[in-house]
Each structure stands twice: as C-alpha cells, then as structure tokens.
Amino acid sequence: MSLPFASIVCALIAALLFACASVAQQRAASAVPEDAALMTTLLRSPRWWAGFIGDGGGYVMQAVALALGSVLVVQPLLVTALLFALPLSAKFSGYRLSRTTWALAVALAVALAIFLVVGDPTEGNVDAPFREWVLPLGILLAVVAAAAAAGMTKIDPGWRALLLGGAGGILYGVAVAFTKYVVELVPRGLGAVLSSWQAWALVAAGLVGVYLQQRGFQVGPLSASLPALTIAEPLAAVFLGMTVLDERLRVAGPGLVVVGCSVAVMLVATIGLSRSQAQQTSDTAAISPVSS
C-alpha cells in the first residue's frame, strides 16, 4: 500500500471515529438535565467515555495520517466526519435526514475542503512573543465569550447548539495554534513544557473547548453544534496563523474569490443546518405518539 493511499485510509478511519465519538457524546450530553452538573454527570456515563475513547482513537489515526501524507490531503478528509455523524445521529434518534440537510452538509464539507486546499496556508513562526498574541487572541476570546453567553440563554435550541459548538470550535482552533510550539518543546523535557505559557494556554483552551462542545451537544441537535464546531476550528486557527504566526494563504486573483465564496457557503450551510434539522427534530417529536 503506497503512503498517500495509506494516509487517505487512516484519515477516513479517523473521521469515522470522530463521528462515532460525537454521536455517542451528544446522546450522553442531551440526556443530562440543564440544572444538573454536566461534566460530573458525563464522567459517570459509559456512553460518554466510549465517545471519549473514540476521540482518542481518532486523534491517533489523524496523527498517523499526517505522518504518512500531506496536511492538504488529511485535513479535508477529516471533514467527512460530519457526513458520517449526521446519518448516525439520525438513525439513533429515530428520524430521517431530509434532502435539504444532506445538501447543506455536503455543501459545508466541500466548501471547507476547498478553503483548506485552495487557501493552502504556509507554515509560519511558531514561537511568536506574547505581545503579538494579545490582540488577535483577545478578539477570538471576546467572540467565544459572546457566543457562549448567548448559547446559555433560553433561545431556540438550534441556535444555542450552534453558538456553543462554534465557541468550542474556536477554542479548539486556539489550541491548534499552540500545539506545534508545545510539541517542539517536548524533546527538551517536561520542565521546558511546564514552564511555557503556551502549554498552559493550550490546556486551558482545550478544557474549556471540551466543556462548551458538551454543552452544545446537551442543548440541541448534533446537526447544529457539530457543523459550527467543524468550521470554527480551522477558521480560528488560520486567523491566528495569519495575524500572529506569519502564515499566509498561498492564493491570489481568482483563488481569493474562491476562498471568499467557500467561507460564505460554510457560514450559510452551518446556519441552514441548525435551522432545518432543529425544525425536523421538533416535527418528529410532535408527531410521535405520547403515552398517557
């Protein structure tokens, strides 16, 4: 088996594992009442731990895929996790995906893949000084705070899941921006890792991101939270890469138009998914027989 083909297979396996993990975690989180301690309850849930293990397996396969092939091959293929997760969620929740939902999901996956492939961001400076992080990181954290605050209010469940999933995705993107620098510190020893502020920022972003992801899973359909998380993570990482780490999109002329259109399609498809699937699940609940 050639290395590129092996990379594709590993990336698809990672996407499937991520999808199964998201479905398991969403089903566990959605069963937790909002007045209960979310993470404390989830830590006692075998289903949630099954999803957590699935995530771990997905990250391992993602790492293997990246070791065998290009980022531009692996990352777009990981977007197929969304296309695996939505039908799995529908099957276990007892409803069918509409043609509109399928169309929006495919459009989102294709648009994100186009953004990553056409944009082709360069590698930059991984050890930017703290002062260069302050403003861009502050902007993202302000967006996270606003989205999380809105997601905690009593608005439509689809919007709540979208906002919380997006907030979690942004924090995952922040974690991605710190990851390479922290990984490069590992050969220097544990002391070098623990003494770097980037390592603690990575841990903080990851932990809060996990919490917001689970809250998004708790309050609304997977079709609202997962697409938002899927697009927010790479967009936040690219934003920090371009504003802090001196990364650049290797695109000009018509390519810029393609990238801009792909971003617009991602935003429209994400919002459309949150609305269409929330309506479908509410309609399913309305027509389901209720025992007296």
Side-chain angles (χ1 to χ4, degrees):
M1 183 183 294
S2 65
L3 290 183
F5 181 71
S7 176
I8 291 171
V9 172
C10 290
L12 289 173
I13 293 173
L16 180 58
L17 288 171
F18 284 140
C20 293
S22 295
V23 173
Q25 290 178 338
Q26 195 273 337
R27 285 177 61 78
S30 64
V32 180
E34 287 202 52
D35 57 356
L38 176 62
M39 294 309 300
T40 302
T41 305
L42 290 179
L43 289 174
R44 296 196 299 264
S45 168
R47 177 177 288 166
W48 187 85
W49 277 107
F52 183 81
I53 293 171
D55 268 337
Y59 287 125
V60 170
M61 295 307 299
Q62 179 183 8
V64 173
L66 288 170
L68 296 174
S70 165
V71 172
L72 290 180
V73 172
V74 174
Q75 291 305 120
L77 287 174
L78 291 178
V79 181
T80 59
L82 178 66
L83 303 181
F84 291 135
L86 291 184
L88 284 172
S89 178
K91 177 178 176 58
F92 287 114
S93 299
Y95 60 85
R96 288 189 175 185
L97 292 178
S98 67
R99 291 182 180 178
T100 299
T101 299
W102 271 115
L104 289 170
V106 171
L108 174 60
V110 171
L112 182 52
I114 289 173
F115 173 82
L116 293 170
V117 172
V118 177
D120 190 11
T122 63
E123 293 190 4
N125 175 27
V126 297
D127 59 347
F130 178 77
R131 66 178 180 276
E132 295 184 11
W133 286 93
V134 174
L135 181 58
L137 196 55
I139 291 172
L140 288 183
L141 293 180
V143 174
V144 168
M152 298 295 184
T153 60
K154 299 298 182 181
I155 58 176
D156 177 82
W159 280 109
R160 295 182 67 192
L162 183 150
L163 290 167
L164 290 167
I170 290 173
L171 289 176
Y172 285 152
V174 171
V176 167
F178 289 123
T179 296
K180 186 169 183 179
Y181 177 74
V182 173
V183 169
E184 291 184 356
L185 289 178
V186 172
R188 304 183 196 176
L190 184 61
V193 174
L194 295 179
S195 63
S196 70
W197 68 267
Q198 291 94 334
W200 294 105
L202 168 61
V203 171
L207 289 177
V208 179
V210 167
Y211 173 75
L212 291 175
Q213 178 190 26
Q214 302 309 313
R215 287 285 290 180
F217 287 165
Q218 179 188 28
V219 303
L222 188 70
S223 58
S225 57
L226 188 60
L229 188 147
T230 300
I231 70 163
E233 179 178 346
L235 292 182
V238 168
F239 173 74
L240 289 175
M242 294 183 67
T243 58
V244 180
L245 304 178
D246 295 325
E247 294 181 356
R248 294 292 179 266
L249 295 178
R250 288 180 281 204
V251 63
L256 285 173
V257 177
V258 173
V259 168
C261 290
S262 68
V263 172
V265 170
M266 283 188 281
L267 295 174
V268 171
T270 301
I271 294 174
L273 277 169
S274 73
R275 305 308 305 138
S276 68
Q277 200 60 29
Q279 180 62 46
Q280 183 172 342
T281 53
S282 64
D283 290 346
T284 300
I287 63 175
S288 297
V290 179
S291 59
S292 56

